[in-house]
Amino acid sequence: ACCSVAWCACEAVSESALVVDRSTLAVLSPGARVSVVTMASEDEFKGESAGRDHEAELVIKARFHCRPVDVYKALTEADMVSRYTMAKANFDTTVGGRFDFYDGNVAGVFTELEEPTKIVMKWKFREWAPRVFSTVTVSLRERGEGETDVEVRQVNIPKSDAHGHGGVRARCEGGWRERILGGMKRFLGYGMEWQDS
């Protein structure tokens, strides 16, 4: 390997290849530079986040027209997540279990699971610096028969990714609103209204 950081550009290569192992994905094409992406390692989420420069927390509130257990499963079961993200998802829904979805672009570890009322996880985008992650707490409260209040609280969001690109907090918020919670509404058929706007 030419380097061990999250991104690097190497010398031009002469033939096409796809190199995949447990920690690295590299796409090699004729005459092109090589892009190397280091996947989340086994110890990526151990201890505290290595980031020192974080944004303020992000809080999103919504009301779903379904039971808390339906929302809980939609956020913790790979087949459900794959349905509304339309991408591969892997979930080990146990405390300490790892997950990834959007083909590994989002990854994390479950740190607390209280079915069907609470999910706490260490969470990151693939392009964040190594050992930098946020903490997401999803609280589910039954409001009445067939209604659930959902609060997503994400803290320790870095101001920039490993490449120095800002707007990370906005990307997190957009992901939760449009792709995750919004996706649950569109593809799982759960009615939903925002409670924080």
Side-chain angles (χ1 to χ4, degrees):
C2 61
C3 65
S4 60
V5 296
W7 161 264
C8 71
C10 304
E11 297 303 317
V13 295
S14 59
E15 62 184 59
S16 297
L18 177 64
V19 179
V20 180
D21 64 25
R22 291 191 65 187
S23 64
T24 306
L25 169 67
V27 180
L28 316 176
S29 57
R33 297 182 75 77
V34 179
S35 298
V36 177
V37 177
T38 302
M39 312 293 264
S41 66
E42 291 296 320
D43 64 348
E44 178 73 18
F45 298 99
K46 288 184 179 175
E48 296 298 317
S49 177
R52 293 184 175 90
D53 194 17
H54 297 298
E55 292 272 3
E57 67 184 35
L58 166 67
V59 179
I60 299 171
K61 296 180 181 181
R63 180 167 298 145
F64 279 87
H65 300 284
C66 61
R67 302 169 301 161
V69 69
D70 298 323
V71 177
Y72 185 93
K73 288 181 177 183
L75 293 170
T76 60
E77 293 185 2
D79 60 333
M80 297 283 285
V81 174
S82 291
R83 283 176 57 196
Y84 61 84
T85 62
M86 296 184 293
K88 184 178 178 183
N90 298 294
F91 279 74
D92 174 5
T93 311
T94 59
V95 173
R98 296 172 60 90
F99 65 85
D100 68 77
F101 55 102
Y102 283 117
D103 298 316
N105 284 304
V106 174
V109 172
F110 291 109
T111 59
E112 190 176 338
L113 293 165
E114 295 177 19
E115 185 176 355
T117 59
K118 189 176 185 182
I119 304 163
V120 182
M121 53 195 143
K122 294 179 179 180
W123 187 102
K124 74 177 294 169
F125 279 116
R126 177 182 284 165
E127 67 270 12
W128 291 6
R131 291 181 306 282
V132 171
F133 53 84
S134 63
T135 300
V136 174
T137 302
V138 180
S139 302
L140 309 170
R141 185 174 59 85
E142 189 166 18
R143 177 177 162 73
E145 191 170 328
E147 286 192 332
T148 302
D149 283 341
V150 178
E151 180 185 271
V152 176
R153 182 177 300 269
Q154 186 168 2
V155 299
N156 291 334
I157 302 168
K159 288 187 177 181
S160 59
D161 64 19
H163 316 293
H165 301 126
V168 177
R169 183 186 182 283
R171 182 170 179 218
C172 289
E173 182 170 6
W176 282 108
R177 289 187 185 276
E178 298 301 319
R179 297 178 178 254
I180 299 175
L181 301 177
M184 289 166 54
K185 177 182 178 179
R186 287 187 303 276
F187 294 101
L188 301 180
Y190 299 151
M192 185 266 286
E193 299 90 34
W194 301 112
Q195 299 295 305
D196 55 2
S197 53

